[in-house]
Amino acid sequence: MPELEPEDFVRDIRHPLVGSLALYCGDAAVAEELAQEALAKAWLRWDKLDDPKAWTYRTAFNLATTWGRRRSAERRANRRSLAPPAAEPDRADVHAVREAVAALPDRQRAVIVCRYFLGFDVRGTASVLGCAEGTVKAATHQALASLRRSGLVDEPETDPDSVEEVDAR
Amino acid sequence: MSLETLLRDAAPEATFHPEDVHRRVRRTQTRRRRVLGGGAVVILLISGLGAWALLQRDEPSEVVAGPPGDTETLPITEEALLGSRWVQVAPATTAPAWVDFDEAGQATVGGACGSSSGAWVVSEGRLRLVATPEESSIYCDGEPPPLSGSPTLDVDGRLVLDGVTLRRLDTLGQPATREDLLGAWLTPDGELEVSFDDQIRVGPCSFAFIFERGRMRSYNPACDFVGPSATISQTVLRGRATIDGEDLWFTTPYGTVHLVRADAGTATVDFAAGPWVPEDPGGLVDLPRLVFTADGSFRALGPCSTWSGRWELVGGRPQVDVTSSTIGYCVDEEGGDRLVAPVAAGGVIDLEGEMLVVGGNRFRQLGPDLAVTEPDFLLGLWTTDDGRSVEFAEDTLSIDDNCATVGWELRASELRYRPVMTCLIGINPRSSERLGLESSVLVRLDGDRLYLLREGDQIAVFHQEPSVEGAERVLYRAISYELLLDPRWEDAGDGDLDLVGFVWNGEVVEVEAAPLTVGLTEADGHLAFCGDYSVRVTGPRSAADALFGVLACEVD
């Protein structure tokens, strides 16, 4: 059972959780909603969680992935029946970053967010995403290559385990 | 500028607070109760099963959020505690713990070897126990159970303290008659046999006895018992008897003993007939399991670790000798390893009725009686708490929303399907990789729990629980890329809407929505409705109606 109380856990994790989800799904409002949903699920099973942080991030990413698939279907339906969603009032550079990240495949996007926003190492990222460490390294490499092609990252990464050595434009 | 800085600048902060999440938790708990028992909830099962019965349960007058976790608790009142002894029912044990609450505010707790006293007070629906260490009596080597803390009272009337579950003795059964007692009984650990005929025999000793008005009177109840056996024999020989089927309790002011019918609790279980899993998954998704095979080998599989060795039947219970283990590391074991880890010590595993008890946790058998024989029973969407899913449709099996395979069949409770080599592995590959690349798994079905068993791996358990979210998900599935392309709504008249589109091979698919209960809503940007509908393929392939989904519609 976690030593923290769930209230304290929510207080500690809410900002990075919302931030990572916003980067992952590209929508701040949706990130707020998904973060609360994941945190509520964690709260409901608090006594059974050995690592609530990893569990919450993984559940949140799962929810975001499901939401992404729903949205792609909804978009097609919305074209016929609903008005287009209003554009977010964010800055252009923020949009550029979000768009570049959003263009990555699911797993690469999750890896980038875990490692370069949340600061997890390879092992921690593998734990959160439920995959092998080698998968994390490969996805990191592929994601950085894509971000480099999109112009977000200028210099080639030298060590897939290093967070600090990756520079962006 | 580093990538981390760019991402930090692009990421917003949360605008909600812990209180907002807590409110959502409360709403979820309330909704679960309403879905399970509220009269305002209509549950429709749309499948070949036909209508699912409305679930009705006695609603408590009030439900409050207990400590974090899935268990709902009731406010505790003094009246609920007084008037009967409380007796430990789980984990099952020969000399269960017991608690007496008296009106003067004193509580006495006892166990196999003694008792201790303390104070009890109920305030704002919560019970608080405070031990008084000097007021204890020790009869043998051992300690009475601790008497301190804040027990909770669950909706089934069970008091839970430090992992020990107690119930009121007067709700456990009824006073026994002499005829009820006749025959052989065993303590749950199988250590001591007690039989009644013209005499009472406790272990190797015999006594004359009179049993009237539910109470035992025996003559010269002395024998060479020592330790806990002395307490057990004294309690049986002088106690009041309460019976409930195969369970018998004797109580005196100083002790409680639990007996089970000798022919009920032993040697009636075929241990090799199927794996054993935690009785209450308690939110676990990847269940550990205990496997006894007919050749005498034994395995305990946790989410991360495994233990293996030999087993044999000793006194109707399996005795395990663990000879090797593989201790793994994973941060998300969620207690699964811990549940089976006690088997590493070896020895005889307790049997409570048809449940195995390992480290205080009850395990049930997924035996042949839970085999799935009708494919229709699987149709629908099955989900886990952490976002995984499997969905059985008429022709397709979808895993985690990532993989879909065409064609599946059920043969002697074994699910066979084509491996999904091209599935889109998402960020959570556990179900996709475990199931998607297999060609068959064993299936067990128990109510709303679906167990998928893979050789050499633990069990994934999915739930088909009615939820409002389920209604939305069914619709999303209907308009997802896997089922429909370019969907459009068409007014079918009479208030009905049809969802029309194309499947991947160009066939026309039409979703017929029956009269909508709630209606189409665009309030939150999602398309959602609640009602009875089906998907019909109207193209060249004459498939039968594909039915899916469990809907729960709040009609108030």
Side-chain angles (χ1 to χ4, degrees):
Chain A
M1 189 189 343
E3 292 180 0
L4 269 179
E5 290 298 317
E7 295 96 328
D8 297 330
F9 174 71
V10 171
R11 193 170 290 112
D12 290 349
I13 201 176
R14 59 192 170 129
H15 292 316
L17 182 61
V18 167
S20 59
L21 286 170
L23 290 169
Y24 185 77
C25 64
D27 187 319
V30 170
E32 285 262 329
E33 174 65 19
L34 297 178
Q36 288 194 57
E37 189 174 344
L39 287 168
K41 284 175 179 287
W43 195 315
L44 282 164
R45 55 189 302 167
W46 187 251
D47 290 344
K48 304 180 183 79
L49 297 180
D50 285 341
D51 186 345
K53 188 176 175 184
W55 190 92
T56 303
Y57 275 118
R58 186 171 57 254
T59 300
F61 283 133
N62 282 340
L63 294 171
T65 303
T66 302
W67 171 85
R69 297 208 169 87
R70 288 176 179 177
R71 190 180 62 161
S72 66
E74 284 171 22
R75 276 177 179 159
R76 291 194 293 270
N78 287 344
R79 278 200 300 269
R80 297 180 180 277
S81 57
L82 297 175
E88 291 181 49
D90 292 324
R91 304 190 315 267
D93 54 345
V94 168
H95 264 303
V97 173
R98 288 185 185 171
E99 281 178 10
V101 174
L104 297 171
D106 285 353
R107 179 171 286 178
Q108 292 179 28
R109 198 161 69 245
V111 164
I112 285 295
V113 171
C114 281
R115 296 199 55 198
Y116 293 96
F117 176 71
L118 295 174
F120 286 120
D121 59 12
V122 171
R123 186 176 189 180
T125 302
S127 296
V128 168
L129 302 183
C131 60
E133 293 181 22
T135 306
V136 172
K137 291 178 181 176
T140 304
H141 179 81
Q142 293 157 358
L144 290 175
S146 296
L147 293 178
R148 207 175 296 125
R149 282 195 296 274
S150 69
L152 192 66
V153 176
D154 281 342
E155 299 186 13
E157 137 246 18
T158 55
D159 175 5
D161 279 343
S162 166
V163 172
E164 298 302 326
E165 295 180 24
V166 178
D167 288 333
R169 74 176 158 76
Chain B
M1 192 182 295
S2 70
L3 179 56
E4 301 96 289
T5 307
L6 275 177
L7 295 176
R8 249 195 323 271
D9 289 347
E13 289 196 336
T15 61
F16 62 85
H17 301 279
E19 305 82 72
D20 301 315
V21 177
H22 192 206
R23 267 196 295 276
R24 184 178 290 229
V25 169
R26 296 288 299 271
R27 278 202 306 271
T28 303
Q29 287 173 327
T30 303
R31 190 172 68 181
R32 282 184 181 174
R33 288 210 54 77
R34 294 179 66 192
V35 167
L36 280 175
V41 175
V42 179
I43 299 170
L44 302 172
L45 174 62
I46 306 171
S47 80
L49 292 174
W52 203 3
L54 293 177
L55 300 178
Q56 295 290 344
R57 288 173 58 177
D58 292 332
E59 283 285 337
S61 57
E62 185 185 0
V63 177
V64 299
D70 285 335
T71 306
E72 292 167 351
T73 61
L74 296 177
I76 297 177
T77 63
E78 295 181 356
E79 293 71 27
L81 301 175
L82 293 169
S84 173
R85 168 166 293 185
W86 290 77
V87 176
Q88 175 182 345
V89 294
T93 178
T94 297
W98 51 270
V99 184
D100 289 337
F101 298 95
D102 72 16
E103 294 183 352
Q106 187 179 50
T108 305
V109 59
C113 284
S115 64
S116 59
S117 299
W120 67 277
V121 62
V122 169
S123 174
E124 296 180 347
R126 293 184 182 276
L127 169 62
R128 205 171 294 277
L129 292 168
V130 182
T132 310
E134 60 270 20
E135 293 184 10
S136 63
S137 306
I138 307 300
Y139 309 138
C140 55
D141 290 338
E143 294 288 336
L147 178 66
S148 61
S150 296
T152 56
L153 182 66
D154 71 17
V155 292
D156 294 321
R158 296 175 300 194
L159 209 54
V160 181
L161 173 63
D162 285 341
V164 173
T165 303
L166 304 107
R167 288 189 61 184
R168 286 178 68 101
L169 184 64
D170 58 5
T171 65
L172 276 179
Q174 50 202 353
T177 65
R178 183 185 180 93
E179 287 67 35
D180 289 332
L181 299 185
L182 295 178
W185 301 79
L186 282 173
T187 52
D189 62 6
E191 295 296 324
L192 193 66
E193 180 174 314
V194 178
S195 65
F196 302 88
D197 43 41
D198 56 335
Q199 287 191 311
I200 175 174
R201 293 181 177 81
V202 182
C205 305
S206 301
F207 308 94
F209 75 100
I210 294 174
F211 187 80
E212 57 183 11
R213 296 180 184 175
R215 181 167 182 181
M216 179 72 66
R217 291 183 192 172
S218 56
Y219 302 101
N220 302 318
C223 198
D224 288 335
F225 293 118
V226 293
S229 292
T231 308
I232 293 167
S233 60
Q234 295 295 314
T235 304
V236 170
L237 295 172
R238 293 174 173 161
R240 287 186 176 277
T242 301
I243 191 166
D244 177 31
E246 310 296 338
D247 294 285
L248 180 64
W249 288 268
F250 280 95
T251 58
T252 70
Y254 309 105
T256 297
V257 167
H258 180 201
L259 302 175
V260 293
R261 279 207 184 275
D263 57 356
T266 60
T268 59
V269 178
D270 181 358
F271 291 94
W276 298 73
V277 297
E279 178 193 21
D280 177 8
L284 282 174
V285 173
D286 295 316
L287 297 186
R289 60 170 150 162
L290 305 171
V291 181
F292 305 88
T293 48
D295 65 0
S297 63
F298 166 78
R299 284 178 303 154
L301 298 102
C304 308
S305 307
T306 60
W307 295 263
S308 56
R310 309 288 299 171
W311 74 284
E312 60 180 339
L313 211 55
V314 175
R317 294 173 298 157
Q319 177 171 293
V320 172
D321 179 22
V322 172
T323 54
S324 65
S325 61
T326 305
I327 306 300
Y329 167 80
C330 57
V331 295
D332 58 338
E333 65 180 38
E334 299 165 20
D337 270 8
R338 281 205 304 269
L339 290 180
V340 291
V343 301
V348 174
I349 297 180
D350 282 340
L351 186 64
E352 179 187 324
E354 294 192 347
M355 297 281 182
L356 284 178
V357 183
V358 175
N361 297 297
R362 289 154 58 101
F363 282 67
R364 60 167 306 182
Q365 190 171 36
L366 298 181
D369 56 319
L370 297 179
V372 187
T373 54
E374 294 296 330
D376 282 357
F377 289 177
L378 296 178
L379 291 178
L381 178 67
W382 302 79
T383 60
T384 65
D385 283 346
D386 67 350
R388 301 184 228 171
S389 66
V390 290
E391 183 175 23
F392 294 88
E394 200 75 13
D395 296 322
T396 59
L397 168 62
S398 305
I399 302 166
D400 277 353
D401 278 343
N402 298 323
C403 312
T405 182
V406 177
W408 58 273
E409 62 177 345
L410 204 58
R411 281 190 195 168
S413 84
E414 187 177 350
L415 171 67
R416 294 171 181 238
Y417 53 95
R418 292 179 195 165
V420 191
M421 303 306 290
T422 57
C423 65
L424 308 166
I425 302 294
I427 60 162
N428 184 348
R430 301 184 69 177
S431 302
S432 304
E433 289 182 355
R434 283 181 178 164
L435 300 174
L437 301 181
E438 289 294 306
S439 58
S440 69
V441 291
L442 281 179
V443 182
R444 293 286 185 270
L445 184 63
D446 180 24
D448 70 343
R449 290 182 192 163
L450 176 70
Y451 300 88
L452 299 182
L453 296 74
R454 205 176 78 154
E455 181 62 26
D457 208 343
Q458 73 271 17
I459 293 168
V461 57
F462 297 82
H463 302 264
Q464 190 172 49
E465 56 182 312
S467 69
V468 173
E469 185 188 32
E472 296 180 10
R473 291 205 58 163
V474 169
L475 178 62
Y476 291 131
R477 299 290 302 177
I479 62 175
S480 75
Y481 51 87
E482 289 168 344
L483 286 173
L484 277 184
L485 298 173
D486 291 329
R488 64 183 183 279
W489 293 99
E490 288 186 353
D491 187 352
D494 301 330
D496 289 0
L497 288 172
D498 285 350
L499 183 60
V500 180
F502 302 91
V503 290
W504 60 275
N505 61 358
E507 294 170 353
V508 178
V509 173
E510 186 175 312
V511 179
E512 285 189 344
L516 303 180
T517 310
V518 175
L520 181 66
T521 173
E522 302 169 3
D524 59 356
H526 290 169
L527 297 173
F529 67 80
C530 196
D532 191 354
Y533 60 91
S534 61
V535 172
R536 189 172 66 210
V537 177
T538 57
R541 201 173 60 186
S542 56
D545 285 358
L547 305 172
F548 44 1
V550 175
L551 301 182
C553 304
E554 295 194 38
V555 296
D556 58 341

